[in-house]
Amino acid sequence: MTTAIARDTDHIVIAGMAVEAPGGVDSPTSYWSALAASEELIGPLPRDRGWPLEELLSTYQIEGWSEVRDAGGFLDAAAQFDPAFFGIGQREALATDPQQRVALRVAWRALENAGINPGALEGEDVGCFIGCSPMEYGPRCAEVNEYSGNRVIGFGLSAAGRVSHSLGLIGPTMCVDSACASSLTALHLAAAAVREGDCEWALAGAVSVMGSPAAFFEFSKHNALSTDGHCRAYADNATGTLWGEGAGMVVVEHESRARRLGHRVYGRILGSHTNHNGKGRPILVPRTEAQERMIRKTIDKSGIDPADVKMIEGHGTATRAGDPIELTALQNTYGATGSRPLLGSVKSNVGHAQAAAGMLGLIKLLLAGRHGRIPATLHSENPTTRVDWDRSSLRLATELQPWEPTNDVRYGAVSSFGASGSNAHAIIAMPVTEENADF
C-alpha cells in the first residue's frame, strides 16, 4: 500500500505546547501529574462572576427541567491578567472577553515551550488558529456604557486576531467555532495551512472560559447534565455531562524545521479530518455513520494500519445518547482490528471544556505518548451496557498502565464532536526517542 507517510516524509509536527486546566493546572508538567495520579479537578461553581446562583441551583423546581449541581471544572486564574505585558490598556482589558486574555497567556507559554522567543516574532509569516465559542461576557454592545468602543474587538471570537496582533504575526489568522469540535478543527486548519505553504509555521489552540452560566441553563432544560457532579464518561451510571473550562495551544511546523532549530517533536500529525452529520435528526443528536466515516478518512490519510493505534482519547461527554453512538463508531473502526486499543476521556478529570475540550484531549495524548503511559479514565469501572463490548477489542483505560510502542513509535487518536453537528478526528505519532525529555 502506498501510504501518506511515503508520499510526505517531512511531517507536520507539534513542537511546543501549553495548557491551563481546572485545579490550578498551568503547565504540561502539572497537567500530567494530575492525569497520572487520576485526580478529579472539579470544584464548586465560581462565586466571583456575578452569576445568579440561587436561580441556577433551583432550576429543578421548574417542570421539565433538571437539577444543576454546584460543580464544574473552572480555571483558577481565569480573571488574572497583566494587560501591560501584552500592550493593552486597563479599560480595554476589562472589556475584553477573558477567553482572549487566557489565549494570549497560553500562546506565549507554548512558544517558550518550543524554544521560540515570543517577543521576536513581529512580521513573521506565522498563522494563528484558535477554537473558541461565544460565552456572553460583559455588558451589551447595544447600549451606552463606560466600555463602549472597546467591545467591538472584545468578544471571544477575536481571540486569534488578538494573539496575532500582540505578537506581530502576519500569517493567516482565524477563530474557529464548530462548538465542541473547535479544537481539532483549528488543529486541522493549522496543519493544512503549514502543509500548503500558506504560512511557515502556526499556532493552533482553543480556549473556553465561561463568562456566563448559559450552558448550565440550556442543558438543564435538555435534562443532559450530570446529576451527581461527576463526568462519568462511557460509564453505565453516567447521567449527563459536567461543564468545564480550559485552554491549550500547540506550535505546528514541518519536522525538518523543528529538527533544524532544535525544537521538541511531541508528535507527528499523520492525518486529520472534519465533517458534519448532515440533516435528518435533531442538530444536537450525534450520528454513528458520520463519525465512522470521518475516522475511516483520517485513517486513510494517515497511511497507517489502524491496529497500530493503541490509545484513543475520545469525546466521552457522559451523555446517554452521545457515548453509545461514539463507542459504536470506534468499535466499527479501531475496535475491529483485534489490537485492543484503550479508550479514555479527560472530561472525567476536568469536565467538558466545550470549545477547548479537544485540545485538552490532544495534549493529554501527547503527554501520554511522551511518558509511555496511558492514564485512567475516572468512573469507568462499570462500562455502559448500551453497547456490546464483546463484539470488538476496544476497551476502557481503567488504570494507569504502560503504553508499548510499535517500531519505536506510539500511535494515538483523538476525537471531538460539536453540538452544531461538526466532527473532528486526528491521528498522532509520537516517536519514542522524544519521551521523558524535560518540558
Side-chain angles (χ1 to χ4, degrees):
M1 179 177 67
T2 301
T3 69
I5 295 175
R7 292 193 300 269
D8 178 14
T9 55
D10 192 5
H11 299 285
I12 306 299
V13 302
I14 294 170
M17 68 168 79
V19 63
E20 287 193 18
V25 168
D26 61 1
S27 69
T29 299
S30 58
Y31 191 42
W32 175 251
S33 295
L35 296 173
S38 298
E39 294 182 19
E40 188 175 40
L41 305 175
I42 302 302
L45 300 174
R47 265 56 178 177
D48 59 354
R49 303 188 188 182
W51 288 6
L53 294 180
E54 184 176 347
E55 179 184 5
L56 181 62
L57 297 175
S58 60
T59 54
Y60 67 93
Q61 298 176 9
I62 306 172
E63 184 177 356
W65 292 54
S66 62
E67 183 177 4
V68 175
R69 304 294 295 188
D70 189 5
F74 300 99
L75 295 181
D76 288 0
Q80 297 177 16
F81 185 64
D82 183 354
F85 183 84
F86 293 102
I88 301 173
Q90 185 67 28
R91 178 168 293 185
E92 183 180 1
L94 288 172
T96 297
D97 192 313
Q99 296 185 117
Q100 288 193 31
R101 305 180 220 152
V102 174
L104 284 166
R105 198 159 59 217
V106 294
W108 191 279
R109 290 173 180 167
L111 293 166
E112 290 183 324
N113 181 263
I116 298 169
N117 181 0
L121 296 177
E122 185 171 355
E124 293 289 320
D125 184 21
V126 180
C128 185
F129 302 81
I130 296 180
C132 187
S133 296
M135 285 290 181
E136 293 187 343
Y137 172 77
R140 296 174 59 229
C141 288
E143 65 182 24
V144 176
N145 59 65
E146 61 181 311
Y147 301 108
S148 294
N150 290 314
R151 295 289 293 143
V152 66
I153 200 64
F155 294 112
L157 290 179
S158 298
R162 180 71 75 176
V163 170
S164 288
H165 178 266
S166 177
L167 299 174
L169 313 181
I170 63 171
T173 297
M174 65 188 73
C175 267
V176 179
D177 183 12
S178 52
C180 309
S182 299
S183 288
L184 297 187
T185 304
L187 179 75
H188 173 75
L189 293 173
V194 175
R195 187 180 298 111
E196 296 300 318
D198 295 337
C199 52
E200 186 176 3
W201 55 280
L203 284 165
V207 60
S208 176
V209 181
M210 302 179 71
S212 87
F216 286 96
F217 281 107
E218 284 291 292
F219 271 60
S220 171
K221 182 65 173 71
H222 284 294
N223 293 286
L225 289 174
S226 169
T227 61
D228 63 1
H230 301 285
C231 191
R232 300 179 182 275
Y234 311 118
D236 202 35
N237 55 343
T239 56
T241 201
L242 185 73
W243 294 126
E245 301 175 334
M249 200 77 64
V250 296
V251 173
V252 177
E253 61 184 348
H254 282 284
E255 184 165 1
S256 60
R257 185 179 191 276
R259 299 296 184 188
R260 184 176 73 252
L261 297 176
H263 298 165
R264 300 178 181 93
V265 175
Y266 287 106
R268 298 166 179 151
I269 306 172
L270 298 187
S272 60
H273 188 68
T274 67
N275 72 359
H276 194 271
N277 291 329
K279 62 182 298 184
R281 300 178 70 184
I283 192 169
L284 284 174
V285 179
R287 317 280 203 283
T288 293
E289 298 80 7
Q291 293 180 18
E292 184 175 340
R293 186 166 58 248
M294 175 191 63
I295 292 169
R296 293 190 186 282
K297 285 191 175 183
T298 309
I299 292 171
D300 289 343
K301 288 181 180 181
S302 75
I304 67 168
D305 184 340
D308 290 338
V309 173
K310 296 300 194 295
M311 175 180 171
I312 302 168
E313 175 62 16
H315 193 55
T317 58
T319 55
R320 291 174 175 171
D323 281 10
I325 287 172
E326 179 185 3
L327 287 168
T328 300
L330 291 172
Q331 286 181 327
N332 292 344
T333 51
Y334 297 111
T337 66
S339 65
R340 296 185 67 84
L342 290 174
L343 168 67
S345 173
V346 75
K347 293 178 182 65
S348 68
N349 304 89
V350 300
H352 186 350
Q354 300 162 84
M359 192 56 56
L360 294 184
L362 172 68
I363 293 175
K364 171 189 171 182
L365 178 70
L366 294 169
L367 293 172
R370 199 168 188 82
H371 287 274
R373 291 183 290 171
I374 299 175
T377 289
L378 309 185
H379 319 301
S380 61
E381 297 82 4
N382 298 305
T384 178
T385 56
R386 293 172 179 260
V387 298
D388 180 5
W389 291 92
D390 292 334
R391 78 176 185 86
S392 85
S393 59
L394 184 72
R395 293 294 180 266
L396 292 180
T398 57
E399 60 183 2
L400 182 69
Q401 54 194 288
W403 183 358
E404 298 301 326
T406 301
N407 297 323
D408 292 328
V409 177
R410 295 187 176 93
Y411 296 94
V414 57
S415 291
S416 61
F417 311 122
S420 63
S422 296
N423 309 303
H425 190 72
I427 294 176
I428 310 294
M430 290 144 283
V432 171
T433 54
E434 304 292 335
E435 71 181 1
N436 291 325
D438 292 337
F439 292 113

